[in-house]
Amino acid sequence: MSDSISLVGLRARGRHGCLPAERELGQEFVVDVTLFLDTAPAAAGDDLSKTVDYGELALRLAAIVEGEPVDLIETLAGRLAEACLANELVEEAEVKVHKPAAPIPLPFDDVVVTIRRRRG
């Protein structure tokens, strides 16, 4: 599939992590998703119903980040990928979850987990 739609830099506050302080205080997570699908039908008919409404998707993804906490951002990424693949037009999704405020006692720029899931 050569067509894709990307949503980059979606920010939402969540309480994910293994440490009690992460659960209590929460922190900002940044999500990037790339959806692989055929956009030709949407383009041919100029029809939103034949593609992914990325505004609606952003709201769904933010609700997952803001929702039930998990220990690992790998788990969070998996939940986000499931939400992306819930749209029957999406054949594959790549999800990146950034945790820029991870509890690491050294200077660093970011922690990112990237997963890629296909419709099975």
Side-chain angles (χ1 to χ4, degrees):
M1 186 69 50
S2 61
D3 298 345
S4 66
I5 296 173
S6 295
L7 174 61
V8 179
L10 178 66
R11 289 169 167 71
R13 191 163 184 85
R15 295 173 289 117
H16 311 288
C18 295
L19 301 178
E22 293 178 294
R23 294 292 180 105
E24 290 174 26
L25 303 173
Q27 61 189 288
E28 183 179 71
F29 292 84
V30 182
V31 174
D32 305 327
V33 297
T34 300
L35 311 176
F36 298 91
L37 67 156
D38 183 2
T39 63
D46 199 28
D47 186 349
L48 179 61
S49 71
K50 295 184 179 177
T51 189
V52 173
D53 181 337
Y54 45 79
E56 181 182 296
L57 177 65
L59 292 173
R60 290 184 68 207
L61 298 177
I64 292 168
V65 173
E66 294 167 350
E68 180 185 349
V70 295
D71 288 342
L72 303 176
I73 57 175
E74 292 86 344
T75 306
L76 179 59
R79 289 182 179 179
L80 296 168
E82 288 174 12
C84 292
L85 291 171
N87 183 315
E88 64 187 27
L89 298 173
V90 177
E91 293 297 323
E92 186 171 348
E94 180 178 272
V95 176
K96 294 181 181 182
V97 176
H98 302 256
K99 190 174 181 179
I104 297 173
L106 298 166
F108 73 100
D109 289 331
D110 201 0
V111 172
V112 184
V113 168
T114 302
I115 66 167
R116 198 167 186 154
R117 299 291 183 265
R118 289 187 63 70
R119 181 170 299 290

